[in-house]
Amino acid sequence: MARTLLAAFFARDPRRVARDLLGKLLLRQRGKKRLAGRIVEVEAYLGSDDAAAHAGAGPTARNRVLFGPPGRAYVYFIYGNHYCLNVSCQPAGKAGCVLIRALEPVAGVAEMARARGLRAPSGATSGGPVSQRFLRQLTSGPGRLCAAFDITRERDNGRNLTTRTSQIWLADDGYRPQRILATPRIGIRKAAGKRLRFVVVGSLFLSRAK
DNA sequence: ATATCGATTATCT
DNA sequence: GATAATCGATATG
């Protein structure tokens, strides 16, 4: 069905990993419930020559995961309010990561809604139809998707995402996006000119249109 | 539809 | 002490 993405997938330049992650699935097993979302928006952060990257100034207590093995969760806390999920790239010793910015909900809509503090429409629990507008607010943003998947720095920073036993992992189910667009990254001031944000063209689940 | 602003805290200067 | 890889609410066109 779906192939788990292994360390070799992530042991590459983050720009390549970022593009290749579009269309893949983020999965989370919570007890008997499985959450799934298709990745539609990502950003690459480089290990050097990237003023916006947390790894830019060398290893610190916060960013040490970025210098470790590939395929690990780098979760940081931002604006005193939100968590953001990255996947470490490059072989151990070399930094770099991909920020996961938006997902299209695929499974576990009712659980995601609850984790986001939203009231699920009746269709969500019964497996019936749910409005696109409602689905859109579940995981269309890096802080939102962490809340929906209940990902926190305290529990999940450093977690190995290349094995299903971690309860959080990434997989390829064969889906391939038709068209990918590169744009400037969102919410940064330094290195704002680099086009290292990648989106699935036409997706209705981006944090911002195009 | 776009703009602006407040919340709230870890991290770094 | 300032800043930040965001979000949700409110205001205005």
Side-chain angles (χ1 to χ4, degrees), chain A residues 13-145:
Chain A
D13 187 298
R15 290 166 286 207
R16 272 311 275 291
V17 178
R19 285 178 175 276
D20 288 350
L21 275 177
L22 291 178
K24 303 298 190 290
L25 295 172
L26 177 67
L27 295 146
R28 162 127 217 193
Q29 193 69 36
R30 282 186 62 73
K32 296 193 90 162
K33 300 290 185 182
R34 177 165 299 183
L35 310 187
R38 194 173 303 283
I39 299 170
V40 296
E41 175 180 342
V42 294
E43 286 176 0
Y45 287 87
L46 313 182
S48 55
D49 289 319
D50 186 359
H54 289 178
T60 67
R62 173 172 72 156
N63 69 18
R64 69 186 154 74
V65 171
L66 297 178
F67 294 84
R72 305 299 166 103
Y74 169 54
V75 184
Y76 68 91
F77 189 56
I78 188 69
Y79 294 112
N81 277 294
H82 310 286
Y83 295 101
C84 294
L85 172 67
N86 300 256
V87 189
S88 66
C89 298
Q90 303 283 27
K94 194 169 176 183
C97 65
V98 173
L99 170 67
I100 300 182
R101 288 195 53 93
L103 307 171
E104 173 175 353
V106 170
V109 167
E111 285 70 31
M112 293 185 203
R114 194 154 58 96
R116 288 268 291 114
L118 303 170
R119 222 183 57 180
S122 55
T125 42
S126 60
V130 179
S131 81
Q132 209 156 64
R133 158 145 186 147
F134 180 80
L135 288 178
R136 220 193 80 71
Q137 58 187 341
L138 253 28
T139 52
S140 57
R144 287 173 169 182
L145 71 90

Side-chain angles (χ1 to χ4, degrees), chain A residues 27 55 67 117 124 163 194 198 209-210:
Chain A
L27 295 146
F67 294 84
T163 170
K194 292 178 187 288
F198 303 97
K210 263 188 326 185

